[in-house]
Amino acid sequence: GELLPELLATMSTGGGPRPRIATGFPRLDELTGGIGPGKLIVVAARTSHGKTAFAGSLLLRLAQRGTPVFLASYE
């Protein structure tokens, strides 16, 4: 828990001033600063906790704004 704020600060800056893509989830964007271009996003959680639903919602929001998206699911 002590390392999380520092990790999130590093993630939000991405190591330098680069454009970020807003996810459409305000709290997630606040914590991460959005998605860095060309980044691989891995969503992980226990079984039946809504990973695929979340990923689908996220990608739908991005696609509706014209961002190219790709989803690979092991389900």
Side-chain angles (χ1 to χ4, degrees):
E2 295 174 18
L3 299 176
L4 188 59
E6 182 180 341
L7 174 64
L8 292 174
T10 302
M11 288 171 52
S12 68
T13 60
R18 295 187 309 179
R20 309 293 277 188
I21 302 167
T23 65
F25 290 90
R27 181 69 176 136
L28 181 60
D29 289 337
E30 179 184 319
L31 290 171
T32 65
I35 298 171
K39 295 294 180 185
L40 171 67
I41 306 299
V42 177
V43 178
R46 292 178 54 94
T47 305
S48 299
H49 277 75
K51 298 176 296 291
T52 303
F54 168 72
S57 293
L58 174 64
L59 296 180
L60 178 62
R61 290 177 185 207
L62 292 172
Q64 288 173 334
R65 290 188 303 224
T67 303
V69 298
F70 171 77
L71 173 65
S73 176
Y74 190 64
E75 290 187 89

